[in-house]
Each structure stands twice: as structure tokens, then as C-alpha cells.
Amino acid sequence: MTTSRETILSIRNLTVTYKTRMGNLNAVDNLSLDLYKGEVLGLVGESGCGKSTLGKAIMRMILPPGQITSGEIWMDGRDLMKLNKKEMRDVRGNRIGMIFQDPMTSLNPVQRIDKHIIEAIQAHEPHVSKEEANQRAIELVERLGIGRKRLLDYPHQLSGGMRQRVMIALALALKAQVIIADEATTALDAIVEAKFLDLLRELKEEFGLTILMITHNIGIVAELADRVAVMYAGRIAELADVDTLFHAPKHPYTQGLLASVPNINMDSELYCMDGTPPNLISPPSGCRFHPRCPHVMDICREQHPPFIPQALDNGEQEVACWLYESATEQT
């Protein structure tokens, strides 16, 4: 399927704040991002950069002491931030589904698999009978490569890969068009992970899904994504189509991430990025990456850089780095 430029979900100036005894922590800070219909957008970055918080914020599932303190999330011509609880509940599942990081903790351990799916369908579609919901559950799990007899099993009786397929079934049970996959392959071995990615690719084509793939695994992004957003300290550092990002990364943080990934040829020493992510209770002034950046300039310590579009023959790329603002001014 060719990715369109039709925006299906638009995030504007979103901030998620956690109140702590040490002060307020902005896990997502004034972030804006568009998700295009039919694409896979990879969201990558180090642990703690705010990726999972962003995914939960889209679903409006931030729990105290966290709070969405500002911003807009637009879908179907509506700002999801202005919906009441009942209206937002209808969006979850019907329009946006989520595959969580650990299916074992996301599924009810004392409830059979069929009950999970039937309950999800009937909660959103009360007019659907139990028999009809059960038939939909059978058709869905069989499409995902799970025999109908396994619907009578409990989560602990399934393998990690099968539990993850059940999570996909729950996300697709109500024909959601946007799927947020939050570190969905973390607990899977390499073979099961490869099968899982193949399945996601097939489902994307078959159902016209739009997928936000949250992961720290750069290899998954290279294989599956159409575009990549690189997140650092609650903000987007670089946004580009996947080929451009891997062949011509602009932001020093993106360059460091890619250099830190082992390659099969081992033709160079594995790069180790200096420093650690900042404390977001008292983040650095200016660009948040400047304490670790090998190209830091005075302006980096004083002002946060805007998103700067890069001229490309094809594809797209935006980078939040003063290096490229300086280059633009010089030319």
C-alpha cells in the first residue's frame, strides 16, 4: 500500500507532566507530530525519552501523578482532549487500538482468551449477541494463526508470540484504523519477532492500518517503518522518511544512535555515546542534547532549536539542530 499524505491523527503542542516531590517532570514537552493514513511511523529513542508516555497520552490513558497539561490531539475532525470519558471510551478500540509492551500483564490471568475478545466487542457494541461476538473472535484469531481451540485457554497457557497475537486481535476486534504498538516485540525471541513483524505488515496491507511503532529496536524500524521520528528528552529531535534517516541522519543524537547499533560486518568499533539522558525535572537550557553533543555551540546552550526542513530530491526530513540553521544562514 502506498502511504498517502492524508493526516489521520495530528498532535499539537502536547505536554504530559508528572508531579513529583522533587518538582514537575515533563515526560512529553510541547510535542507536535502528524500520523499519515496507511503508514508505519517508527518512534525511537533511549529509554526514558517519553515514547510510551506519548502513546498512552494519545489514548488518554495517563494516570496520576501524570497529567496531560496542554496540547491538542486531532482525529476525525475532533480534538480528543475535549471529549468526555464516554466519548473517549468510544474512540479507544473503535478508532485507536493499542498493543502493550507485556501482554502477560495486559491480559486478565483468570479470564479465558475468548472472554477477553467477546467482552471488548460487546462493551463497544452492546447490540451484538454473545454468539455473534464469539464467531467474530474465532474468525479473527484464525486469521492471526491461532487455532479456535486456543480461545478456551488462559493467558499463561499461550506462548509469548501467541499472547502478542491475542493483543493484536483485541486491537483489531472493533476494526480500529490506528494501532499504537508499544515495544510490542520486547519479550519475543528473534524468530517469533520476525514472524510478528511479517504479520503486522500483512495486516497493514489487508486492513489499511496506520501504525505508530514505539520501539528502541532500530532494526525493526528499518524493516517496517515508512517514516521515523527520533525522540529525545520529551521532544522530537529528527523526523524523516526511513531511507533518508538511515543513509543521511542529520541530528547528532540520531547519528549517535545509529552508530551504536552493531553491524554484521563489524568493520568499525562500536560507538558509545557520551553522557546520559538529562534529568527532566531540571532539564538543560537550550537544546537538551547539548551536554552530550560533539558539535555544541554557544547558541545550543541558550535556545532550543526549531524544526528545520532539509532540502531533498525525494523524501522528507526535519531536524531540530542549530548546526543546520547556521548552514542555512551562511548560504
Side-chain angles (χ1 to χ4, degrees):
M1 177 183 294
T2 302
T3 303
S4 71
R5 289 302 179 189
E6 178 185 347
T7 299
I8 192 170
L9 189 142
S10 182
I11 303 166
R12 288 292 173 267
N13 308 116
L14 185 69
T15 298
V16 180
T17 304
Y18 287 88
K19 297 179 185 275
T20 75
R21 284 178 288 181
M22 302 296 292
N24 289 343
L25 183 156
N26 289 340
V28 174
D29 192 358
N30 198 36
L31 184 147
S32 296
L33 187 66
D34 288 332
L35 194 58
Y36 298 145
K37 185 174 182 179
E39 78 167 341
V40 176
L41 175 62
L43 184 64
V44 301
E46 292 169 288
S47 296
C49 70
K51 306 185 300 297
S52 293
T53 299
L54 176 60
K56 291 178 181 177
I58 294 171
M59 299 285 283
R60 277 183 50 187
M61 294 174 62
I62 301 295
L63 300 176
Q67 182 183 2
I68 300 176
T69 50
S70 65
E72 302 171 344
I73 304 171
W74 289 89
M75 187 176 189
D76 299 330
R78 299 184 296 173
D79 181 3
L80 303 187
M81 293 303 303
K82 294 181 179 178
L83 302 185
N84 60 38
K85 289 183 178 180
K86 182 182 182 304
E87 291 170 330
M88 190 61 209
R89 188 185 181 199
D90 290 338
V91 171
R92 298 189 195 105
N94 282 320
R95 297 296 293 147
I96 309 175
M98 191 162 187
I99 306 171
F100 292 95
Q101 181 170 351
D102 186 356
M104 194 62 195
T105 59
S106 301
L107 297 170
N108 188 334
V110 296
Q111 192 173 58
R112 292 185 335 210
I113 299 304
D114 61 341
K115 300 298 182 184
H116 284 85
I117 302 175
I118 292 170
E119 185 179 272
I121 293 172
Q122 291 191 309
H124 289 270
E125 302 176 20
H127 62 280
V128 175
S129 67
K130 184 176 179 180
E131 291 73 20
E132 184 181 347
N134 185 61
Q135 184 58 38
R136 281 170 58 177
I138 290 172
E139 292 172 359
L140 193 53
V141 297
E142 287 185 338
R143 171 62 189 85
L144 296 175
I146 301 175
R148 65 174 65 192
K149 291 183 179 179
R150 304 311 297 268
L151 282 171
L152 303 179
D153 288 343
Y154 292 88
H156 72 273
Q157 295 176 289
L158 303 181
S159 67
M162 292 183 75
R163 285 195 293 266
Q164 203 61 287
R165 288 171 186 247
V166 171
M167 293 302 298
I168 296 177
L170 286 168
L172 295 177
L174 300 166
K175 299 179 174 64
Q177 289 303 295
V178 175
I179 302 294
I180 301 172
D182 183 12
E183 300 282 9
T185 63
T186 298
L188 306 180
D189 62 48
I191 294 175
V192 176
E193 177 186 281
K195 292 180 179 178
F196 176 76
L197 295 178
D198 287 340
L199 177 60
L200 275 187
R201 191 180 293 108
E202 291 174 12
L203 294 174
K204 172 183 175 287
E205 299 292 337
E206 182 175 341
F207 295 101
L209 299 177
T210 302
I211 301 174
L212 177 61
M213 175 67 73
I214 300 171
T215 182
H216 62 274
N217 189 326
I218 299 293
I220 289 176
V221 172
E223 183 175 345
L224 197 65
D226 300 298
R227 291 190 302 149
V228 187
V230 180
M231 197 167 178
Y232 183 76
R235 295 176 174 176
I236 301 296
E238 186 167 358
L239 178 66
D241 65 272
V242 65
D243 290 337
T244 299
L245 187 104
F246 277 85
H247 292 102
K250 296 292 186 183
H251 199 286
Y253 177 62
T254 308
Q255 294 169 355
L257 278 183
L258 295 178
S260 301
V261 178
N263 68 77
I264 195 169
N265 297 318
M266 294 301 290
D267 51 8
S268 61
E269 184 177 346
L270 191 62
Y271 176 77
C272 180
M273 202 181 308
D274 291 335
T276 58
N279 180 352
L280 294 182
I281 295 176
S282 54
S285 59
C287 174
R288 291 185 173 179
F289 187 63
H290 86 254
R292 306 172 69 185
C293 182
H295 309 292
V296 62
M297 303 178 291
D298 289 340
I299 193 173
C300 304
R301 299 183 177 94
E302 299 165 0
Q303 300 179 39
H304 182 74
F307 258 123
I308 302 165
Q310 302 299 297
L312 300 175
D313 294 333
N314 43 51
E316 66 173 277
Q317 188 172 27
E318 292 180 290
V319 58
C321 182
W322 286 116
L323 284 172
Y324 303 98
E325 179 73 9
S326 300
T328 301
E329 290 174 355
Q330 290 171 8
T331 56

